Amino acid sequence: MRFWLIRGGVLAFVLAGADVGLAAVAVHNSDITVLRSIVLGVVAGLAALWAAADGWHQTLDRGRGWVIAAIIAGFASGVLRVIGKAIFVDETGLSSLGSALTGDAAFGALLVLVPAGLGLLVGSRIGQRDTAKAGPAE
């Protein structure tokens, strides 16, 4: 299963959309600290819930899959972020791509990877508890 490609792509669009939306709001209102925290929390929560579902369903190779999905989400969101800001917000140029593929990509990957790891842990615990309650099969 190549679920990591789908998850990484979806989360890349979510991360890039969130950042472009925040940049568009920042043009009119410079004080968006609380809004930025809420948006990043929602993105992290999405990754955690999605990973918890994978842990609960005992998806095969879920740990490695989420690491690859986080890497894909980080790099792809960096590229999409530069493209989105260039089209919708300001005239961001190709010079911004370097920082988007280094620092921004690393931040995006960690924003997906850490909550996904916690989600996998919690989801697998819930799955184990459900099978323990069911008792041995006869």
Side-chain angles (χ1 to χ4, degrees), residues 61-85:
D61 210 16
R62 57 192 173 274
R64 182 173 52 162
W66 273 102
V67 169
I68 294 171
I71 293 169
I72 290 171
F75 282 114
S77 71
V79 172
L80 290 172
R81 194 177 292 150
V82 170
I83 293 170
K85 283 183 181 179

Side-chain angles (χ1 to χ4, degrees), residues 22-30 89-90:
L22 287 171
V25 170
V27 169
H28 303 290
N29 185 4
S30 62
V89 179
D90 54 12

Side-chain angles (χ1 to χ4, degrees), residues 42-114:
V42 168
V43 171
L46 176 66
L49 286 174
W50 206 347
D54 285 343
W56 184 22
H57 295 298
Q58 300 294 316
T59 305
L60 294 176
D61 210 16
R62 57 192 173 274
R64 182 173 52 162
W66 273 102
V67 169
I68 294 171
I71 293 169
I72 290 171
F75 282 114
S77 71
V79 172
L80 290 172
R81 194 177 292 150
V82 170
I83 293 170
K85 283 183 181 179
I87 293 173
F88 297 114
V89 179
D90 54 12
E91 296 181 10
T92 301
L94 198 56
S95 62
S96 299
L97 194 57
S99 68
L101 291 177
T102 54
D104 292 345
F107 177 73
L110 283 175
L111 189 64
V112 171
L113 185 62
V114 172

